[in-house]
Amino acid sequence: MMKEYIAIFEYNGEIQNLEFVSNSNSQEKLNPEARMYVNDYLLTKYGTVTYHFIRVIPK
């Protein structure tokens, strides 16, 4: 079952968040998946993947 999550990260000195859905059921699987979504988002929007990952929380 797909659940909604929020990836929280810091980019360019600003705390941001990105919503995504996943069927992963453990934090060990969610963190790498969230990082993948953040990487893709930043690469597409800003052309970079330099950021500080903070955490994933349920929406």
Side-chain angles (χ1 to χ4, degrees), residues 22-45:
S22 174
N23 61 358
S24 296
N25 56 2
S26 73
Q27 201 69 35
E28 289 177 349
K29 292 179 182 178
L30 279 172
N31 285 345
E33 192 172 342
R35 285 184 171 99
M36 180 189 71
Y37 283 111
V38 172
N39 284 348
D40 290 347
Y41 169 76
L42 291 176
L43 190 58
T44 301
K45 188 163 183 173

Side-chain angles (χ1 to χ4, degrees), residues 2 17 21 41 45 48:
M2 301 293 272
N17 61 65
V21 294
Y41 169 76
K45 188 163 183 173
T48 184

Side-chain angles (χ1 to χ4, degrees), residues 1-7 18-24 30 56-59:
M1 181 173 167
M2 301 293 272
K3 294 183 181 179
E4 295 181 352
Y5 295 95
I6 300 172
L18 181 67
E19 295 181 14
F20 69 100
V21 294
S22 174
N23 61 358
S24 296
L30 279 172
V56 176
I57 59 172
K59 182 174 177 188

